Amino acid sequence: MTDRRVVILLGPPGAGKGTQAVRLSEGLGLPHVSTGDLFRENLSKSTELGLRAKGFMESGKLVPDELVLEMLFDRVSKPDCAEGYLLDGFPRTIPQAEALDARLVGEKTVALLLEVDDSLIVGRAAGRLLCKSCGNIQHLEFSPPAKEGVCDQCGGELHRRKDDEPDVVRERLVVYHEQTAPLVGFYENKGLLRRVKGDQSPDAVYADLLKNLEGAV
Ligand code: AMP
């Protein structure tokens, strides 16, 4: 065992992983590593990686494992991840989970599953707003901006993610059940899974996450 901590957030699209990851990252003092954010950053800079990922992202499909793994391992090799990191949106397939596992060398690891029923997902995603400048996540219902279209945090422009359109979200949900849901069993078999009800207020979800982290990492 090392003192390094690896916290994995699992759950369907729109379950609140991004929102909770920001709070947990602060609370635990671990960098927030979101593969979705890394891809969006690459896309906005039109890097080769961003352009290769674009079509998959826009259609709600997963970006091929080899692209994800290279980007992720590069990110977690940075000095700020020396004490550990918080993963949001990774792993999303069994080969990704196995690749992460092969890289870990006795880190204290936990996988937190945010459980939200499919029937709530499309509606939740439809209300989600993302800041173009700082990446802050707000929501029309759960955290409405004080001024329409303006980020409460930095005053930047809020927009809807293209892949939060209902048709794309439905596709992302299918992909989640086919390719990502098997990770629940993967981490359960290792005794690392903790389940949290995601259909509560963000504060209540956060409190449950902290409770589940006690003694785990
Ligand atoms: P997210 O912000 O986590 O919902 O990710 C947005 C999109 O980026 C996903 O729908 C995928 O197309 C892509 N993506 C993010 N993380 C991964 C991953 N671990 N594996 C494959 N594709 C990913």
Side-chain angles (χ1 to χ4, degrees):
M1 273 277 174
T2 74
D3 283 339
R4 269 179 110 203
R5 295 172 294 166
V6 175
V7 177
I8 300 165
L9 271 180
L10 292 176
K17 297 189 297 294
T19 302
Q20 296 296 335
V22 171
R23 298 177 73 161
L24 280 176
S25 161
E26 259 184 55
L28 300 173
L30 293 176
H32 171 200
V33 176
S34 154
T35 41
D37 284 352
L38 291 170
F39 280 127
R40 278 184 290 277
E41 209 177 295
N42 273 280
L43 199 52
S44 72
K45 292 182 186 152
S46 296
T47 67
E48 194 192 325
L49 177 64
L51 296 175
R52 286 171 77 183
K54 186 174 193 261
F56 298 103
M57 294 173 75
E58 287 182 353
S59 58
K61 306 268 192 233
L62 294 184
V63 176
D65 287 339
E66 60 274 18
L67 294 183
V68 183
L69 289 172
E70 197 187 326
M71 177 182 76
L72 189 271
F73 290 144
D74 182 54
R75 173 66 190 89
V76 299
S77 307
K78 300 254 156 73
D80 66 327
C81 293
E83 303 295 317
Y85 42 89
L86 171 71
L87 292 172
D88 160 17
F90 181 94
R92 259 191 167 87
T93 64
I94 292 282
Q96 289 179 16
E98 285 170 343
L100 174 66
D101 211 41
R103 221 188 125 94
L104 297 178
V105 285
E107 283 86 346
K108 291 182 193 134
T109 306
V110 65
L112 299 163
L113 172 66
L114 281 179
E115 295 184 299
V116 175
D117 197 76
D118 280 7
S119 60
L120 296 175
I121 296 290
V122 176
R124 275 187 166 217
R128 176 153 66 178
L129 299 165
L130 192 69
C131 176
K132 280 188 177 169
S133 307
C134 75
N136 179 34
I137 305 168
Q138 299 206 215
H139 194 279
L140 286 175
E141 190 184 334
F142 308 121
S143 54
K147 191 170 167 210
E148 199 185 322
V150 178
C151 172
D152 284 352
Q153 203 161 277
C154 78
E157 185 189 341
L158 291 172
H159 73 122
R160 288 185 61 194
R161 276 171 53 174
K162 262 195 199 161
D163 61 350
D164 277 342
E165 296 296 332
D167 283 352
V168 185
V169 174
R170 276 188 274 272
E171 176 60 25
R172 288 165 66 201
L173 210 43
V174 169
V175 168
Y176 174 77
H177 286 295
E178 278 176 9
Q179 301 193 57
T180 308
L183 297 183
V184 174
F186 180 92
Y187 287 111
E188 207 155 37
N189 288 338
K190 290 179 177 290
L192 300 177
L193 191 82
R194 306 278 189 278
R195 293 171 188 268
V196 168
K197 273 168 61 66
D199 56 350
Q200 318 175 66
S201 71
D203 286 350
V205 173
Y206 184 60
D208 270 4
L209 287 169
L210 289 183
K211 217 182 295 162
N212 276 278
L213 280 166
E214 273 168 28
V217 291

